[in-house]
Amino acid sequence: MNKVFPLAVLAFAILAFATLMLVIFPAAQIRTVEPAEGLEPYTAVEERGRQQYVDLGCYYCHSQQPRSPEQAPDLQRGWGRPTTPADYVYDDPHVLGTMRTGPDLMNVGARMPSQGWHLTHLYQPRAIEESSIMPAYPFLFEVKQNPDEDDVVVPVPAEYAPADGAKVVARQSALDLTAYLLSLDRTYPAKDKELRDLGFDGGDAR
């Protein structure tokens, strides 16, 4: 019994130290990070699209964190410079991803700035890349014989187009998700001084 109290005090001290170093200090650092110059808050449409991205589990197969040359040849792949905390100020929750079954998407809006390309890719990835293993998301679209004037008609190759000559039209959820993907552009100069010193002042994401 004489050893219980000292052990309890020691355990509490270790827990308090770990909490301070692993939770409180990092949280304080994050709160002081300012957005990078050139980074804009998400619009309402982009926010809805970001939620679609989360709901569909896109982050299971795609990362949003280009890495340094010591870790991976992401710059040579055209995925952009290494990201810094300032690039994620408006991301809550973060969707950094843990796997790269598909390419990193942090700068996909710069690499692929076409709304039509993204809509076609979401409707049927094999229409863009024959060997793609990405799932199609036809429920984000509808098929109409006579699209309305304000409908966004998706360009679909003949082999994937409806057999009866109808048109594929994007639902609002597809437009929202596409708007979010187009907003992913971190090609502005890096805020982190260490990255700038290494020559990463933007990076070619195209």
Side-chain angles (χ1 to χ4, degrees), residues 63-201:
S63 62
Q64 288 190 26
Q65 47 176 326
R67 298 165 185 167
S68 65
E70 296 78 23
Q71 296 174 307
D74 289 357
L75 200 61
Q76 287 72 28
R77 291 167 172 160
W79 294 350
R81 59 162 175 79
T83 47
T84 72
D87 296 320
Y88 301 98
V89 169
Y90 300 119
D91 288 79
D92 183 23
H94 296 97
V95 285
L96 299 178
T98 57
M99 294 184 64
R100 285 180 167 178
T101 305
D104 187 275
L105 297 182
M106 193 56 164
N107 289 295
V108 71
R111 295 198 306 270
M112 300 295 182
S114 165
Q115 182 194 55
W117 187 95
H118 285 284
L119 290 172
T120 302
H121 191 238
L122 290 170
Y123 178 72
Q124 178 49 263
R126 261 66 64 193
I128 299 292
E129 175 54 58
E130 186 177 351
S131 61
S132 175
I133 60 172
M134 173 177 157
Y137 299 100
F139 53 86
L140 298 178
F141 304 84
E142 57 183 316
V143 175
K144 290 185 176 182
Q145 285 290 344
N146 299 297
D148 297 331
E149 186 176 343
D150 58 348
D151 281 336
V152 177
V153 177
V154 181
V156 180
E159 60 266 37
Y160 295 105
D164 56 1
K167 302 297 183 182
V168 177
V169 173
R171 298 181 188 273
Q172 187 59 50
S173 52
L175 297 174
D176 292 346
L177 178 54
T178 296
Y180 169 65
L181 294 172
L182 291 173
S183 77
L184 294 177
D185 181 353
R186 305 297 192 268
T187 55
Y188 47 74
K191 187 177 178 65
D192 192 293
K193 184 179 184 300
E194 291 184 7
L195 284 182
R196 296 199 305 272
D197 290 344
L198 291 173
F200 295 110
D201 60 349

Side-chain angles (χ1 to χ4, degrees), residues 56-67:
L56 293 172
C58 301
Y59 56 90
Y60 288 122
C61 294
H62 295 281
S63 62
Q64 288 190 26
Q65 47 176 326
R67 298 165 185 167

